């Protein structure tokens, strides 16, 4: 394996990396509080092309499929998920809340992801969290930036907290404790 490009602008451990659909963009998140977005066609430098510092220690970055500049970020020490438009990085496009329970001890979120099963549907975000026992679906709509907490699908008896979430097309896999649940969320149907 040869190194094609190297970004060296984080000064603490990286927690997440995401490649853009254009094959030219990389987003990173690290313990230094930085979310960096870089064009890998350019020579690497000491600074990313776009810097976002809305989280203390972000652990997740993810691009919205088919939506170009939309980038999701999450931090394990807060109960919010931020959605950024990297063309306007100074403030988040949306702040998603409501997927953790206030009485939960840690109130952490677990690796949220964008979900867009069909190109005709708006993207949404899937997330689980401590003390929820359900998978939350946040739907994006018009006007720009409006977000609706569309659903909170319970898993099993509701006592299982979804951890990691993976998506491919309309399929969703969720880790819950020592099990994997394969789901097909009902989305885009009123």
């Amino acid at each position: 394996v040869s190194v094609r490009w190297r970004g060296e602008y984080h000064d603490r451990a990286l927690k997440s990396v995401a490649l853009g659909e254009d094959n030219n963009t990389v987003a990173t998140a690290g313990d230094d509080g930085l979310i960096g977005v870089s064009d890998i066609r350019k020579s690497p430098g000491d600074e990313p092309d776009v810097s976002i510092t809305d989280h203390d220690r972000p652990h997740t970055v993810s691009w919205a499929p088919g939506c170009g500049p939309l980038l999701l970020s999450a931090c394990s020490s807060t109960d919010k998920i931020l959605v950024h438009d990297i063309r306007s990085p100074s403030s988040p496009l949306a702040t998603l809340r409501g997927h953790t329970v206030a009485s939960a001890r840690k109130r952490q979120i677990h690796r949220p992801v964008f979900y867009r099963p069909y190109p005709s549907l708006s993207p949404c975000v899937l997330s689980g969290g401590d003390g929820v026992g359900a998978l939350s679906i946040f739907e994006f709509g018009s006007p720009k930036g409006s977000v609706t907490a569309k659903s909170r699908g319970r898993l099993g008896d509701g006592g299982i907290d979804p951890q990691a979430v993976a998506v491919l097309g309309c399929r969703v896999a969720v880790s819950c404790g020592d099990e994997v649940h394969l789901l097909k969320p009902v989305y885009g149907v009123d």
Side-chain angles (χ1 to χ4, degrees):
V1 175
S2 64
V3 176
R4 178 176 158 205
W5 182 90
R6 182 189 332 238
E8 298 182 50
Y9 41 81
H10 285 275
D11 59 10
R12 294 191 59 200
L14 285 174
K15 296 298 182 179
S16 183
V17 63
L19 295 171
E21 289 182 322
D22 63 3
N23 291 319
N24 296 316
T25 310
V26 64
T28 57
D31 276 349
D32 56 2
L34 175 67
I35 297 169
V37 179
S38 295
D39 184 332
I40 63 173
R41 295 171 293 186
K42 298 179 182 178
S43 296
D46 294 335
E47 299 293 327
D49 297 320
V50 176
S51 296
I52 301 170
T53 56
D54 292 326
H55 279 307
D56 178 34
R57 293 172 57 189
H59 69 54
T60 300
V61 288
S62 175
W63 295 101
C67 295
L70 290 185
L71 181 69
L72 169 153
S73 70
C75 178
S76 63
S77 64
T78 70
D79 67 342
K80 62 185 174 179
I81 300 168
L82 302 179
V83 178
H84 308 274
D85 181 332
I86 63 166
R87 298 169 296 187
S88 302
S90 60
S91 62
L93 179 66
T95 300
L96 311 180
R97 292 180 182 266
H99 49 275
T100 59
V101 175
S103 62
R105 187 171 52 94
K106 292 184 183 175
R107 297 181 61 193
Q108 293 182 343
I109 56 173
H110 301 291
R111 303 279 179 192
V113 295
F114 276 109
Y115 177 61
R116 190 175 187 195
Y118 307 104
S120 61
L121 295 176
S122 298
C124 70
V125 172
L126 302 179
S127 178
D130 287 338
V132 176
L135 185 68
S136 296
I137 301 175
F138 296 91
E139 184 177 14
F140 289 80
S142 295
K144 183 181 176 185
S146 69
V147 180
T148 305
K150 192 71 171 173
S151 171
R152 179 170 286 150
R154 298 191 66 74
L155 299 174
D157 63 5
I160 301 172
D161 290 333
Q163 302 288 320
V165 181
V167 298
L168 180 61
C170 62
R171 295 180 291 177
V172 177
V174 180
S175 69
C176 299
D178 60 355
E179 302 174 347
V180 173
H181 296 238
L182 297 178
L183 313 171
K184 185 175 179 185
V186 177
Y187 168 58
V189 179
D190 290 326

